[in-house]
PDB file of all heavy atoms in Angstrom:
ATOM      1  N   ALA O   1     105.101  91.409  99.896  1.00 96.00           N
ATOM      2  CA  ALA O   1     106.377  91.597 100.667  1.00 96.00           C
ATOM      3  C   ALA O   1     106.964  92.936 100.541  1.00 96.00           C
ATOM      4  O   ALA O   1     107.254  93.714 101.424  1.00 96.00           O
ATOM      5  CB  ALA O   1     107.348  90.456 100.438  1.00 96.00           C
ATOM      6  N   VAL O   2     106.941  93.406  99.273  1.00 96.00           N
ATOM      7  CA  VAL O   2     107.560  94.714  98.984  1.00 96.00           C
ATOM      8  C   VAL O   2     106.561  95.869  99.467  1.00 96.00           C
ATOM      9  O   VAL O   2     107.059  96.765 100.154  1.00 96.00           O
ATOM     10  CB  VAL O   2     107.700  94.973  97.454  1.00 96.00           C
ATOM     11  CG1 VAL O   2     108.014  96.405  97.068  1.00 96.00           C
ATOM     12  CG2 VAL O   2     108.676  93.940  96.851  1.00 96.00           C
ATOM     13  N   VAL O   3     105.210  95.638  99.361  1.00 96.00           N
ATOM     14  CA  VAL O   3     104.297  96.581  99.925  1.00 96.00           C
ATOM     15  C   VAL O   3     104.392  96.703 101.456  1.00 96.00           C
ATOM     16  O   VAL O   3     104.386  97.791 102.009  1.00 96.00           O
ATOM     17  CB  VAL O   3     102.865  96.242  99.513  1.00 96.00           C
ATOM     18  CG1 VAL O   3     101.772  97.049 100.339  1.00 96.00           C
ATOM     19  CG2 VAL O   3     102.662  96.425  98.119  1.00 96.00           C
ATOM     20  N   LEU O   4     104.532  95.499 102.088  1.00 96.00           N
ATOM     21  CA  LEU O   4     104.730  95.472 103.600  1.00 96.00           C
ATOM     22  C   LEU O   4     106.066  96.218 103.941  1.00 96.00           C
ATOM     23  O   LEU O   4     106.099  97.033 104.896  1.00 96.00           O
ATOM     24  CB  LEU O   4     104.772  94.069 104.107  1.00 96.00           C
ATOM     25  CG  LEU O   4     105.018  93.894 105.591  1.00 96.00           C
ATOM     26  CD1 LEU O   4     103.876  94.512 106.387  1.00 96.00           C
ATOM     27  CD2 LEU O   4     105.088  92.402 105.936  1.00 96.00           C
ATOM     28  N   LEU O   5     107.061  96.014 103.255  1.00 97.00           N
ATOM     29  CA  LEU O   5     108.343  96.681 103.499  1.00 97.00           C
ATOM     30  C   LEU O   5     108.247  98.147 103.345  1.00 97.00           C
ATOM     31  O   LEU O   5     108.722  98.922 104.240  1.00 97.00           O
ATOM     32  CB  LEU O   5     109.498  96.169 102.510  1.00 97.00           C
ATOM     33  CG  LEU O   5     110.857  96.837 102.574  1.00 97.00           C
ATOM     34  CD1 LEU O   5     111.452  96.566 103.928  1.00 97.00           C
ATOM     35  CD2 LEU O   5     111.776  96.316 101.512  1.00 97.00           C
ATOM     36  N   CYS O   6     107.568  98.608 102.398  1.00 97.00           N
ATOM     37  CA  CYS O   6     107.326 100.083 102.151  1.00 97.00           C
ATOM     38  C   CYS O   6     106.478 100.669 103.351  1.00 97.00           C
ATOM     39  O   CYS O   6     106.768 101.712 103.816  1.00 97.00           O
ATOM     40  CB  CYS O   6     106.691 100.345 100.816  1.00 97.00           C
ATOM     41  SG  CYS O   6     107.740 100.001  99.400  1.00 97.00           S
ATOM     42  N   ALA O   7     105.456  99.898 103.724  1.00 96.00           N
ATOM     43  CA  ALA O   7     104.557 100.347 104.767  1.00 96.00           C
ATOM     44  C   ALA O   7     105.334 100.404 106.117  1.00 96.00           C
ATOM     45  O   ALA O   7     105.149 101.480 106.844  1.00 96.00           O
ATOM     46  CB  ALA O   7     103.375  99.413 104.988  1.00 96.00           C
ATOM     47  N   LEU O   8     106.091  99.415 106.344  1.00 96.00           N
ATOM     48  CA  LEU O   8     106.962  99.535 107.607  1.00 96.00           C
ATOM     49  C   LEU O   8     108.008 100.669 107.534  1.00 96.00           C
ATOM     50  O   LEU O   8     108.280 101.302 108.623  1.00 96.00           O
ATOM     51  CB  LEU O   8     107.709  98.156 107.758  1.00 96.00           C
ATOM     52  CG  LEU O   8     106.787  96.961 108.302  1.00 96.00           C
ATOM     53  CD1 LEU O   8     107.596  95.654 108.227  1.00 96.00           C
ATOM     54  CD2 LEU O   8     106.206  97.299 109.624  1.00 96.00           C
ATOM     55  N   THR O   9     108.493 100.953 106.431  1.00 96.00           N
ATOM     56  CA  THR O   9     109.543 101.972 106.254  1.00 96.00           C
ATOM     57  C   THR O   9     108.750 103.328 106.569  1.00 96.00           C
ATOM     58  O   THR O   9     109.329 104.174 107.330  1.00 96.00           O
ATOM     59  CB  THR O   9     110.020 102.071 104.837  1.00 96.00           C
ATOM     60  OG1 THR O   9     110.741 100.810 104.570  1.00 96.00           O
ATOM     61  CG2 THR O   9     111.013 103.254 104.615  1.00 96.00           C
ATOM     62  N   LEU O  10     107.620 103.523 106.064  1.00 96.00           N
ATOM     63  CA  LEU O  10     106.833 104.713 106.307  1.00 96.00           C
ATOM     64  C   LEU O  10     106.433 104.919 107.803  1.00 96.00           C
ATOM     65  O   LEU O  10     106.480 105.976 108.406  1.00 96.00           O
ATOM     66  CB  LEU O  10     105.601 104.789 105.508  1.00 96.00           C
ATOM     67  CG  LEU O  10     105.726 104.924 103.916  1.00 96.00           C
ATOM     68  CD1 LEU O  10     104.430 104.700 103.241  1.00 96.00           C
ATOM     69  CD2 LEU O  10     106.304 106.349 103.695  1.00 96.00           C
ATOM     70  N   LEU O  11     106.112 103.716 108.491  1.00 95.00           N
ATOM     71  CA  LEU O  11     105.870 103.718 109.883  1.00 95.00           C
ATOM     72  C   LEU O  11     107.091 104.103 110.650  1.00 95.00           C
ATOM     73  O   LEU O  11     106.979 104.998 111.577  1.00 95.00           O
ATOM     74  CB  LEU O  11     105.306 102.341 110.277  1.00 95.00           C
ATOM     75  CG  LEU O  11     105.220 102.202 111.867  1.00 95.00           C
ATOM     76  CD1 LEU O  11     104.073 103.012 112.355  1.00 95.00           C
ATOM     77  CD2 LEU O  11     104.853 100.715 112.158  1.00 95.00           C
ATOM     78  N   LEU O  12     108.145 103.542 110.385  1.00 95.00           N
ATOM     79  CA  LEU O  12     109.401 103.790 111.161  1.00 95.00           C
ATOM     80  C   LEU O  12     110.029 105.214 110.964  1.00 95.00           C
ATOM     81  O   LEU O  12     110.604 105.805 111.832  1.00 95.00           O
ATOM     82  CB  LEU O  12     110.451 102.739 110.811  1.00 95.00           C
ATOM     83  CG  LEU O  12     110.161 101.290 111.074  1.00 95.00           C
ATOM     84  CD1 LEU O  12     111.394 100.396 110.792  1.00 95.00           C
ATOM     85  CD2 LEU O  12     109.633 101.116 112.470  1.00 95.00           C
ATOM     86  N   LEU O  13     109.688 105.776 109.742  1.00 95.00           N
ATOM     87  CA  LEU O  13     110.128 107.116 109.466  1.00 95.00           C
ATOM     88  C   LEU O  13     109.461 108.149 110.398  1.00 95.00           C
ATOM     89  O   LEU O  13     109.919 109.253 110.647  1.00 95.00           O
ATOM     90  CB  LEU O  13     109.930 107.459 108.021  1.00 95.00           C
ATOM     91  CG  LEU O  13     110.932 106.980 107.074  1.00 95.00           C
ATOM     92  CD1 LEU O  13     110.471 107.173 105.559  1.00 95.00           C
ATOM     93  CD2 LEU O  13     112.302 107.639 107.273  1.00 95.00           C
ATOM     94  N   LEU O  14     108.286 107.862 110.903  1.00 93.00           N
ATOM     95  CA  LEU O  14     107.555 108.645 111.783  1.00 93.00           C
ATOM     96  C   LEU O  14     108.334 108.948 113.144  1.00 93.00           C
ATOM     97  O   LEU O  14     108.108 109.961 113.788  1.00 93.00           O
ATOM     98  CB  LEU O  14     106.171 108.090 112.250  1.00 93.00           C
ATOM     99  CG  LEU O  14     105.202 107.927 110.977  1.00 93.00           C
ATOM    100  CD1 LEU O  14     103.941 107.242 111.590  1.00 93.00           C
ATOM    101  CD2 LEU O  14     104.837 109.302 110.470  1.00 93.00           C
ATOM    102  N   PHE O  15     109.256 107.979 113.409  1.00 91.00           N
ATOM    103  CA  PHE O  15     110.021 108.111 114.737  1.00 91.00           C
ATOM    104  C   PHE O  15     111.589 108.313 114.435  1.00 91.00           C
ATOM    105  O   PHE O  15     112.361 108.243 115.273  1.00 91.00           O
ATOM    106  CB  PHE O  15     109.945 106.860 115.514  1.00 91.00           C
ATOM    107  CG  PHE O  15     108.460 106.414 115.767  1.00 91.00           C
ATOM    108  CD1 PHE O  15     107.870 105.427 114.801  1.00 91.00           C
ATOM    109  CD2 PHE O  15     107.703 106.994 116.683  1.00 91.00           C
ATOM    110  CE1 PHE O  15     106.604 105.040 115.135  1.00 91.00           C
ATOM    111  CE2 PHE O  15     106.402 106.596 116.867  1.00 91.00           C
ATOM    112  CZ  PHE O  15     105.826 105.681 116.104  1.00 91.00           C
ATOM    113  N   SER O  16     111.868 108.564 113.174  1.00 89.00           N
ATOM    114  CA  SER O  16     113.339 108.655 112.794  1.00 89.00           C
ATOM    115  C   SER O  16     113.990 109.992 113.019  1.00 89.00           C
ATOM    116  O   SER O  16     114.585 110.585 112.187  1.00 89.00           O
ATOM    117  CB  SER O  16     113.387 108.362 111.281  1.00 89.00           C
ATOM    118  OG  SER O  16     112.792 109.340 110.460  1.00 89.00           O
ATOM    119  N   PHE O  17     113.734 110.464 114.230  1.00 88.00           N
ATOM    120  CA  PHE O  17     114.418 111.661 114.740  1.00 88.00           C
ATOM    121  C   PHE O  17     115.498 111.239 115.780  1.00 88.00           C
ATOM    122  O   PHE O  17     115.402 110.238 116.422  1.00 88.00           O
ATOM    123  CB  PHE O  17     113.417 112.637 115.303  1.00 88.00           C
ATOM    124  CG  PHE O  17     112.323 113.030 114.445  1.00 88.00           C
ATOM    125  CD1 PHE O  17     111.065 112.323 114.329  1.00 88.00           C
ATOM    126  CD2 PHE O  17     112.538 114.152 113.576  1.00 88.00           C
ATOM    127  CE1 PHE O  17     110.045 112.738 113.490  1.00 88.00           C
ATOM    128  CE2 PHE O  17     111.583 114.502 112.597  1.00 88.00           C
ATOM    129  CZ  PHE O  17     110.273 113.805 112.597  1.00 88.00           C
ATOM    130  N   ARG O  18     116.496 112.120 115.884  1.00 82.00           N
ATOM    131  CA  ARG O  18     117.631 111.767 116.605  1.00 82.00           C
ATOM    132  C   ARG O  18     117.318 111.223 117.963  1.00 82.00           C
ATOM    133  O   ARG O  18     117.976 110.211 118.509  1.00 82.00           O
ATOM    134  CB  ARG O  18     118.654 112.919 116.656  1.00 82.00           C
ATOM    135  CG  ARG O  18     119.943 112.546 117.236  1.00 82.00           C
ATOM    136  CD  ARG O  18     120.870 113.652 117.036  1.00 82.00           C
ATOM    137  NE  ARG O  18     122.301 113.301 117.561  1.00 82.00           N
ATOM    138  CZ  ARG O  18     123.141 112.672 116.845  1.00 82.00           C
ATOM    139  NH1 ARG O  18     122.877 112.353 115.679  1.00 82.00           N
ATOM    140  NH2 ARG O  18     124.358 112.428 117.418  1.00 82.00           N
ATOM    141  N   ARG O  19     116.501 111.891 118.762  1.00 85.00           N
ATOM    142  CA  ARG O  19     116.154 111.487 120.129  1.00 85.00           C
ATOM    143  C   ARG O  19     115.079 110.473 120.279  1.00 85.00           C
ATOM    144  O   ARG O  19     114.908 109.878 121.334  1.00 85.00           O
ATOM    145  CB  ARG O  19     115.721 112.716 120.910  1.00 85.00           C
ATOM    146  CG  ARG O  19     116.816 113.843 121.016  1.00 85.00           C
ATOM    147  CD  ARG O  19     116.279 114.903 121.978  1.00 85.00           C
ATOM    148  NE  ARG O  19     117.383 115.937 122.107  1.00 85.00           N
ATOM    149  CZ  ARG O  19     117.260 117.016 122.900  1.00 85.00           C
ATOM    150  NH1 ARG O  19     116.051 117.146 123.429  1.00 85.00           N
ATOM    151  NH2 ARG O  19     118.234 117.910 122.999  1.00 85.00           N
ATOM    152  N   THR O  20     114.371 110.108 119.167  1.00 91.00           N
ATOM    153  CA  THR O  20     113.274 109.185 119.404  1.00 91.00           C
ATOM    154  C   THR O  20     113.492 107.830 118.554  1.00 91.00           C
ATOM    155  O   THR O  20     112.843 106.889 118.905  1.00 91.00           O
ATOM    156  CB  THR O  20     111.995 109.794 118.803  1.00 91.00           C
ATOM    157  OG1 THR O  20     112.140 110.152 117.393  1.00 91.00           O
ATOM    158  CG2 THR O  20     111.563 111.037 119.632  1.00 91.00           C
ATOM    159  N   ILE O  21     114.351 107.828 117.604  1.00 92.00           N
ATOM    160  CA  ILE O  21     114.510 106.701 116.746  1.00 92.00           C
ATOM    161  C   ILE O  21     114.904 105.369 117.488  1.00 92.00           C
ATOM    162  O   ILE O  21     114.312 104.371 117.343  1.00 92.00           O
ATOM    163  CB  ILE O  21     115.507 106.937 115.612  1.00 92.00           C
ATOM    164  CG1 ILE O  21     115.489 105.794 114.627  1.00 92.00           C
ATOM    165  CG2 ILE O  21     116.865 107.281 116.067  1.00 92.00           C
ATOM    166  CD1 ILE O  21     116.186 105.999 113.386  1.00 92.00           C
ATOM    167  N   LYS O  22     115.846 105.562 118.393  1.00 94.00           N
ATOM    168  CA  LYS O  22     116.347 104.355 119.154  1.00 94.00           C
ATOM    169  C   LYS O  22     115.338 103.840 120.081  1.00 94.00           C
ATOM    170  O   LYS O  22     115.039 102.601 119.989  1.00 94.00           O
ATOM    171  CB  LYS O  22     117.655 104.699 119.910  1.00 94.00           C
ATOM    172  CG  LYS O  22     118.890 104.812 118.976  1.00 94.00           C
ATOM    173  CD  LYS O  22     120.182 104.882 119.840  1.00 94.00           C
ATOM    174  CE  LYS O  22     121.290 104.964 118.935  1.00 94.00           C
ATOM    175  NZ  LYS O  22     122.635 104.983 119.727  1.00 94.00           N
ATOM    176  N   PRO O  23     114.780 104.558 120.917  1.00 94.00           N
ATOM    177  CA  PRO O  23     113.737 104.008 121.901  1.00 94.00           C
ATOM    178  C   PRO O  23     112.552 103.468 121.140  1.00 94.00           C
ATOM    179  O   PRO O  23     111.896 102.413 121.517  1.00 94.00           O
ATOM    180  CB  PRO O  23     113.413 105.167 122.867  1.00 94.00           C
ATOM    181  CG  PRO O  23     113.868 106.449 122.234  1.00 94.00           C
ATOM    182  CD  PRO O  23     115.021 106.010 121.381  1.00 94.00           C
ATOM    183  N   ALA O  24     112.089 104.219 120.067  1.00 94.00           N
ATOM    184  CA  ALA O  24     110.946 103.779 119.324  1.00 94.00           C
ATOM    185  C   ALA O  24     111.241 102.377 118.593  1.00 94.00           C
ATOM    186  O   ALA O  24     110.426 101.499 118.604  1.00 94.00           O
ATOM    187  CB  ALA O  24     110.624 104.795 118.277  1.00 94.00           C
ATOM    188  N   LEU O  25     112.377 102.208 118.084  1.00 95.00           N
ATOM    189  CA  LEU O  25     112.707 101.038 117.330  1.00 95.00           C
ATOM    190  C   LEU O  25     112.838  99.818 118.285  1.00 95.00           C
ATOM    191  O   LEU O  25     112.403  98.714 118.041  1.00 95.00           O
ATOM    192  CB  LEU O  25     114.040 101.174 116.548  1.00 95.00           C
ATOM    193  CG  LEU O  25     113.854 101.944 115.271  1.00 95.00           C
ATOM    194  CD1 LEU O  25     115.293 102.075 114.654  1.00 95.00           C
ATOM    195  CD2 LEU O  25     112.901 101.384 114.256  1.00 95.00           C
ATOM    196  N   MET O  26     113.401 100.104 119.403  1.00 96.00           N
ATOM    197  CA  MET O  26     113.587  99.100 120.471  1.00 96.00           C
ATOM    198  C   MET O  26     112.291  98.594 120.958  1.00 96.00           C
ATOM    199  O   MET O  26     112.045  97.407 121.102  1.00 96.00           O
ATOM    200  CB  MET O  26     114.506  99.628 121.707  1.00 96.00           C
ATOM    201  CG  MET O  26     115.956  99.920 121.269  1.00 96.00           C
ATOM    202  SD  MET O  26     116.882 100.952 122.411  1.00 96.00           S
ATOM    203  CE  MET O  26     116.830  99.782 123.886  1.00 96.00           C
ATOM    204  N   LEU O  27     111.338  99.516 121.236  1.00 95.00           N
ATOM    205  CA  LEU O  27     110.028  99.148 121.610  1.00 95.00           C
ATOM    206  C   LEU O  27     109.302  98.304 120.598  1.00 95.00           C
ATOM    207  O   LEU O  27     108.639  97.290 120.875  1.00 95.00           O
ATOM    208  CB  LEU O  27     109.178 100.347 122.014  1.00 95.00           C
ATOM    209  CG  LEU O  27     107.813 100.145 122.461  1.00 95.00           C
ATOM    210  CD1 LEU O  27     107.737  99.256 123.695  1.00 95.00           C
ATOM    211  CD2 LEU O  27     107.117 101.526 122.642  1.00 95.00           C
TER     212      LEU O  27
END
């Protein structure tokens, strides 16, 4: 579970820019 949480965090960080984070997370 911790490894999965870390992997998802790394995935989401790829889109964590001001203009992309919201639409990317919603999708």
Side-chain angles (χ1 to χ4, degrees):
V2 174
V3 168
L4 178 60
L5 174 62
C6 292
L8 287 174
T9 300
L10 291 170
L11 172 67
L12 300 185
L13 280 172
L14 296 176
F15 309 99
S16 62
F17 301 94
R18 188 171 184 84
R19 293 185 178 181
T20 59
I21 185 170
K22 285 187 177 182
L25 286 177
M26 291 166 67
L27 178 61

